[in-house]
Amino acid sequence: MATITNSPSNICFLLLLLLAHFNLGKSQLQLNYYSKSCPKAEDIIKQQVTQLYHKHGNTAVSWVRNLFHDCVVQSCDASLLLETARHGTLVSEQTSERSFGMRNFKYVNTIKAAVEEECPLTVSCADIVALSARDGISLLGGPSIEIKTGRRDSKESYAKEVKDLIPNHNDSISVVLSRFQAIGIDVEATVALLGAHSVGRVHCMNLVHRLYPTVDTTLDPAHAEYLKRRCPTPNPDPKAVLYSRNDLKTPMIIDNNYYKNILQHKGLLIVDEELATDSRTAPYVQKMANDNEYFHQQFSRAIQLLSETNPLTGDQGEIRKDCRYLNVH
């Protein structure tokens, strides 16, 4: 039997084989992935996102939240969009308590239908999630971000994992930092991502624990009184429209007012307060509060990192015809 020696040439050959095996069936995400297969895809998505924004302004905020909820759970693979199957074979991630308050999923189908009309079974729902977030951020006054494409769609839901992977509204900054670090997002980028709270709102049921029975001493007293007017009872109806916005001055613009607010102890969630006071994050908060351009630069970088989390590519997954359902084979 022939023996393989440990010569440099043989070692290089084995390394090449290993790399070839590792990359088998996997292509990298790239800019303008659909330039040949569906050249109008990104323009169609942008047009749909813009039209929806002018009809329903809050859709742009939904697209940003969709990206977070999709990518933090296993992969940027549109598993979030799958609906619960009738016979219980699949449970939607949307049923998780972490998905409370999410909306506008039906309009993802509007975008997908327009793309399907141009290029059937070509553009993934996962890329629609990423690109709609990009375009939504731009419409909300945020930075223009280059987003790579080429993702494919998951064939399963991860409903059981959602609770363990998406931070709870009561979680500490340490928990939040560790969750993001686990998917390759550093502290500076995490601070920037939380800046998306500048266009967010919080339902009273997720902040009354800071108001009742006694007011959280870390809250600005005058702001606490305002929040008590917004949330007049310690037991709000989760189905009622009872909420407060993070940013009262520019509630529909992604800017650095969020950081200015939390430095004044006007954050709605515990993590907002801790972000401004924890030694690991406070320097970035101060810098972002002082410099909106710096915040936008870091926000762009953070969105790119988030959107490239463990994507399915190549021959993995599928390209769904309808984002709500797995393809029928």
Side-chain angles (χ1 to χ4, degrees):
M1 179 182 288
T3 59
I4 298 176
T5 64
N6 290 326
S7 68
S9 59
N10 281 333
I11 291 172
C12 288
F13 177 69
L14 289 171
L15 285 173
L16 286 171
L17 282 177
L18 182 63
L19 287 170
H21 176 73
F22 181 76
N23 289 308
L24 186 63
K26 294 193 69 173
S27 62
Q28 297 297 314
L29 299 181
Q30 56 187 274
L31 294 174
N32 302 311
Y33 177 83
Y34 299 105
S35 60
K36 293 183 179 179
S37 60
C38 189
K40 294 182 181 179
E42 295 197 23
D43 288 337
I44 292 170
I45 292 168
K46 184 176 182 178
Q47 182 183 45
Q48 291 295 317
V49 168
T50 303
Q51 288 176 356
L52 286 165
Y53 171 73
H54 290 303
K55 290 180 181 177
H56 315 281
N58 60 30
T59 53
V61 180
S62 295
W63 308 151
V64 182
R65 191 176 179 189
N66 282 359
L67 183 71
F68 169 73
H69 277 255
D70 189 41
C71 294
V72 171
V73 180
Q74 296 291 347
S75 166
C76 296
D77 58 7
S79 59
L80 169 70
L81 302 180
L82 289 170
E83 293 188 355
T84 299
R86 291 182 179 179
H87 303 295
T89 53
L90 183 149
V91 177
S92 175
E93 293 172 20
Q94 298 171 29
T95 62
S96 170
E97 63 182 34
R98 295 289 194 272
S99 300
F100 176 76
M102 295 189 76
R103 52 188 172 162
N104 294 319
F105 290 115
K106 63 184 178 181
Y107 296 124
V108 178
N109 302 327
T110 302
I111 300 170
K112 176 63 169 172
V115 176
E116 282 294 304
E117 186 175 344
E118 176 72 18
C119 308
L121 290 172
T122 303
V123 180
S124 70
C125 298
D127 277 340
I128 288 175
V129 169
L131 292 171
S132 62
R134 176 197 68 181
D135 296 334
I137 288 166
S138 180
L139 288 166
L140 291 166
S144 297
I145 306 172
E146 287 192 326
I147 294 292
K148 293 179 180 179
T149 44
R151 300 165 191 78
R152 288 172 64 85
D153 300 325
S154 171
K155 292 183 179 180
E156 56 186 315
S157 168
Y158 303 102
K160 292 182 179 179
E161 286 89 344
V162 172
K163 194 172 182 179
D164 294 327
L165 296 173
I166 294 182
N168 183 26
H169 64 276
N170 278 325
D171 281 340
S172 67
I173 186 61
S174 292
V175 170
V176 172
L177 289 175
S178 67
R179 296 280 172 86
F180 279 110
Q181 184 179 12
I183 60 173
I185 298 179
D186 57 80
V187 174
E188 188 176 22
T190 299
V191 175
L193 273 182
L194 287 172
H197 284 182
S198 66
V199 291
R201 63 182 191 175
V202 176
H203 195 282
C204 288
M205 65 178 291
N206 287 336
L207 61 86
V208 288
H209 61 286
R210 300 190 70 200
L211 302 174
Y212 304 101
T214 57
V215 173
D216 183 335
T217 55
T218 63
L219 263 175
D220 172 78
H223 197 59
E225 287 304 311
Y226 164 76
L227 293 177
K228 290 181 81 169
R229 291 195 296 273
R230 296 293 302 176
C231 306
T233 169
N235 299 299
D237 180 354
K239 295 182 180 180
V241 183
L242 296 168
Y243 63 86
S244 179
R245 294 194 178 276
N246 281 293
D247 182 358
L248 301 180
K249 291 184 178 179
T250 54
M252 291 298 285
I253 298 176
I254 296 176
D255 59 17
N256 64 343
N257 270 336
Y258 165 73
Y259 302 101
K260 296 175 182 179
N261 290 335
I262 63 176
L263 285 171
Q264 296 172 19
H265 306 287
K266 295 180 180 180
L268 301 184
L269 303 177
I270 291 172
V271 71
D272 298 324
E273 172 65 25
E274 291 188 354
L275 191 71
T277 55
D278 189 280
S279 61
R280 294 165 293 181
T281 55
Y284 298 122
V285 169
Q286 187 66 62
K287 192 173 180 181
M288 290 180 192
N290 293 338
D291 189 343
N292 193 59
E293 184 178 350
Y294 163 69
F295 160 55
H296 276 181
Q297 289 171 349
Q298 292 305 313
F299 187 73
S300 296
R301 183 174 72 87
I303 289 293
Q304 288 172 333
L305 287 172
L306 179 65
S307 70
E308 295 173 21
T309 302
N310 193 31
L312 301 180
T313 59
D315 58 359
Q316 298 174 308
E318 64 180 9
I319 304 295
R320 286 185 221 139
K321 182 175 178 60
D322 186 317
C323 294
R324 298 170 294 178
Y325 313 113
L326 299 179
N327 293 339
V328 178
H329 298 288

